[in-house]
Amino acid sequence: MVCVILASPSRKGSTSTLALEAANAIEDADVRIHFLNELEFRDCQGCRACKRGRPCPLKDDLVPVLDDLRDCDALIVATPVYFGRATGLYCMYEDRTYKLYAEQPEPPARKALVIVSAGARTEACRPTAERIQRILIRRNFETSLILHSTKDSANPKDDADLMELARVEGRKLL
């Protein structure tokens, strides 16, 4: 199963377009797309119940997303850059993944694709993408990156090379 985390508030923006193109290129896969902006969920409360082997007390729309993340064979994570960092939606999601460290101290080796898009130059995406990559590597994901900038290139839908890159990277996941 391929888990897709869309942390953009826009379903049709650059970030979502690239992530969906990558996901749709994976033939015969069970792809589960999680558009965070449509979910009702809270940030981690820092109670450390998960660290003590107890279930997370938060019972909201993010629970099945975290289940998919724990059980997936591959992952696509996509976020735009706002003010030099991932969106607040992504940060709230990422904080909640902490429970997976307690539940799965030695996760299986898997692949992930990190897609980061910005209205600034492409290099403005790199720190955010590399931060996400470091976290995923700790969770035993081998990662690849796609960086996109509306300043450096057109809308992804109008950039055939970029769309092909998304498809190629998507197919590499499985």
Side-chain angles (χ1 to χ4, degrees):
M1 178 260 295
V2 178
C3 181
V4 181
I5 305 297
L6 296 177
S8 172
S10 173
R11 267 192 178 276
K12 296 184 181 186
S14 298
T15 310
S16 297
T17 297
L18 290 168
L20 295 174
E21 193 70 15
N24 290 333
I26 307 168
E27 295 181 18
D28 301 323
D30 174 13
V31 177
R32 299 191 188 163
I33 298 169
H34 302 287
F35 186 58
L36 297 181
N37 201 43
E38 292 179 352
L39 303 179
E40 298 268 343
F41 67 99
R42 295 178 58 202
D43 198 3
C44 175
Q45 302 298 294
C47 68
R48 297 187 168 261
C50 59
K51 190 152 179 106
R52 293 189 286 275
R54 296 195 321 255
C56 178
L58 298 177
K59 306 295 181 219
D60 56 23
D61 291 351
L62 202 61
V63 172
V65 176
L66 295 173
D67 290 344
D68 282 354
L69 176 60
R70 183 192 58 237
D71 299 335
C72 72
D73 300 305
L75 173 66
I76 298 172
V77 176
T79 183
V81 172
Y82 290 169
F83 297 100
R85 61 169 179 74
T87 63
L89 284 167
Y90 178 79
C91 294
M92 285 177 59
Y93 149 81
E94 185 180 79
D95 285 352
R96 291 278 298 277
T97 67
Y98 181 79
K99 78 180 210 100
L100 299 178
Y101 287 86
E103 292 177 3
Q104 204 178 30
E106 293 184 37
R110 300 171 281 181
K111 292 184 180 181
L113 173 60
V114 177
I115 299 171
V116 178
S117 186
R121 299 279 179 221
T122 303
E123 284 310 305
C125 299
R126 188 165 301 284
T128 297
E130 288 176 348
R131 183 190 170 286
I132 294 169
Q133 184 178 43
R134 284 191 302 274
I135 289 166
L136 292 174
I137 287 169
R138 280 187 251 152
R139 295 290 306 144
N140 211 14
F141 282 98
E142 176 188 327
T143 62
S144 57
L145 305 175
I146 294 179
L147 307 179
H148 170 261
S149 162
T150 56
K151 290 233 188 249
D152 293 338
S153 67
N155 183 311
K157 292 176 188 171
D158 301 325
D159 186 334
D161 292 339
L162 186 58
M163 294 296 273
E164 179 59 22
L165 175 63
R167 289 188 290 274
V168 167
E169 293 298 326
R171 285 190 289 268
K172 286 181 185 177
L173 291 173
L174 292 182

